[in-house]
Structures are given as C-alpha cells and as structure tokens.
C-alpha cells in the first residue's frame, strides 16, 4: 500500500467518511511536524470529482511514512 492509499484510509477513518469519498488532494507538511492537509470529494457518474461537495482536514501522517 502506498502513502496515498494510507492517507486516504486514515482520512476516511478520522473524518468518519464512507467508501464513496475519495482523496483528491494532499498537502504534506514541509515543517516536519507530520501533519497533512487532506481533501476528500465524491465522484459523479462519469468518475469526476465533485469538489463543490468536499471535506478537508489536517491529519497526522508521520507514522504512515
């Protein structure tokens, strides 16, 4: 499992999101404190992200590297 998949799993868990939510953007902390800003959105019927209905949060990721 790569880092993107681990961040997606951690984000879904912390945000209490179901499998219909997908990670579409990540901003990893450059200061070294181990935080990442993750953004989730659902996909429409064509497989495109619907970012108007999105959720974001900062999560710890230092233990996922």
């Amino acid at each position: 499992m790569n880092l993107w998949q681990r961040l997606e799993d951690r984000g879904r868990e912390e945000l209490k999101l179901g499998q219909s939510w997908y990670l579409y953007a990540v901003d990893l902390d450059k200061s070294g404190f181990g935080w990442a800003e993750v953004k989730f959105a659902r996909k429409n019927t064509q497989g495109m992200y619907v970012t108007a209905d999105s959720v974001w949060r900062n999560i710890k990721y230092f233990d996922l590297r």
Side-chain angles (χ1 to χ4, degrees):
M1 186 181 294
N2 63 34
L3 180 58
W4 185 271
Q5 292 166 324
R6 291 191 301 266
L7 285 168
E8 188 170 51
D9 289 345
R10 171 73 53 87
R12 281 184 183 145
E13 180 183 313
E14 289 199 16
L15 292 166
K16 297 178 180 26
L17 299 174
Q19 294 296 318
S20 64
W21 291 86
Y22 297 91
L23 181 63
Y24 76 91
V26 175
D27 182 11
L28 298 178
D29 178 36
K30 294 180 178 80
S31 66
F33 291 111
W35 289 90
E37 179 183 294
V38 293
K39 295 182 180 183
F40 284 84
R42 292 184 177 163
K43 290 184 180 180
N44 64 14
T45 56
Q46 290 111 8
M48 298 173 62
Y49 293 108
V50 182
T51 57
D53 182 27
S54 63
V55 178
W56 71 273
R57 183 173 181 179
N58 290 322
I59 63 169
K60 285 192 176 198
Y61 82 99
F62 66 90
D63 59 329
L64 299 177
R65 291 186 256 189

